[in-house]
Amino acid sequence: MKIPAEALLFDNDGTLVSSLESVHRCWTRWAEEFGITAEEFARVELHGRPAVEIAADLLPADVVPQALARIEQLEVEDVPNGGVHLLPGTRAFLDALPADRWAVVTSATRRLAEARLEAVGILPKTLIAADDVTRGKPDPEPYLLAARELGVDPARCVVFEDAPAGLRAGRAAGMTTVALTTTHQAHELDADLVVENLSALSALVTGGNVEISVRS
């Protein structure tokens, strides 16, 4: 299978990097600090959603700003503890792409996203974070903003995601979707193509076009 594109848009956590250990540590501590029971916490989907939505699901509105500041602090401070690492294939795949042909589109805040990316040596020219949009994934706004920043028609963009919410955002933006089974099973992911991780793919760049292929 070959997928033509002009721009590639990558989710970060679970797509380019794994931060599951850090996320578990920090959100568990956060829930304890704010008196959230294990049962309440277990009912909320964490992955692929902005922290503001998670906090709003669990806490009174007047507590949310304080809670958001706290979880950001916990996660940024936890980055040096080794809870973030590159997923297989990330480095080689990104190295094959021109800097103006790809972007990172994350539900994390800019401060947290930059801390995690810097920790693994990824410096995207274009980064869309939770701070940049009014509606996060599964709304298409983050991916549409990334396409606009890169100057590319959304229909010529390919989204790489590991979470159902992100894949819904990509489809709603009119983009081709590639799912990675790094945090969810294949049957949970509705995408044009499903692969294990970026090591399953190669990218051929010709002029302003990128052709994505599944490695044989």
Side-chain angles (χ1 to χ4, degrees):
M1 181 177 182
K2 298 182 185 299
I3 301 174
E6 290 183 17
L8 310 186
L9 310 180
F10 299 91
D11 173 53
N12 187 31
D13 299 292
T15 299
L16 299 179
V17 308
S18 175
S19 56
L20 289 178
E21 295 174 19
S22 178
V23 167
H24 179 74
R25 275 197 301 269
C26 295
W27 279 92
T28 299
R29 179 175 172 184
W30 177 89
E32 291 171 352
E33 289 183 5
F34 284 88
I36 297 164
T37 67
E39 291 76 17
E40 291 171 328
F41 194 56
R43 287 198 295 267
V44 175
E45 175 64 38
L46 281 181
H47 197 68
R49 299 178 64 211
V52 63
E53 293 182 9
I54 299 167
D57 283 348
L58 292 165
L59 295 167
D62 62 332
V63 181
V64 169
Q66 174 193 351
L68 285 176
R70 180 56 175 155
I71 188 57
E72 182 182 59
Q73 177 187 13
L74 287 171
E75 291 193 291
V76 169
E77 290 178 351
D78 193 63
V79 168
N81 294 334
V84 181
H85 61 268
L86 283 175
L87 285 165
T90 295
R91 177 75 63 196
F93 197 75
L94 293 183
D95 283 350
L97 303 174
D100 61 352
R101 294 291 92 191
W102 64 278
V104 174
V105 184
T106 177
S107 294
T109 63
R110 180 168 294 273
R111 180 185 174 208
L112 177 58
E114 288 179 344
R116 285 177 173 164
L117 289 166
E118 184 177 349
V120 295
I122 297 177
L123 302 173
K125 184 176 179 179
T126 302
L127 169 65
I128 303 299
D131 320 56
D132 302 314
V133 299
T134 56
R135 298 176 304 279
K137 304 171 190 176
D139 192 275
E141 183 184 352
Y143 281 117
L144 291 173
L145 177 58
R148 189 159 63 247
E149 291 282 326
L150 293 175
V152 175
D153 181 345
R156 296 286 295 165
C157 295
V158 177
V159 165
F160 296 80
E161 274 278 359
D162 68 299
L167 291 168
R168 290 199 298 273
R171 286 197 304 276
M175 301 175 179
T176 301
T177 53
V178 176
L180 312 181
T181 58
T182 50
T183 59
H184 291 76
Q185 296 182 38
H187 69 84
E188 300 176 281
L189 302 170
D190 182 8
D192 296 296
L193 174 66
V194 180
V195 295
E196 184 177 3
N197 52 54
L198 291 176
S199 67
L201 303 172
S202 61
L204 176 65
V205 180
T206 308
N209 297 310
V210 182
E211 185 178 80
I212 304 156
S213 301
V214 178
R215 295 183 184 276
S216 55

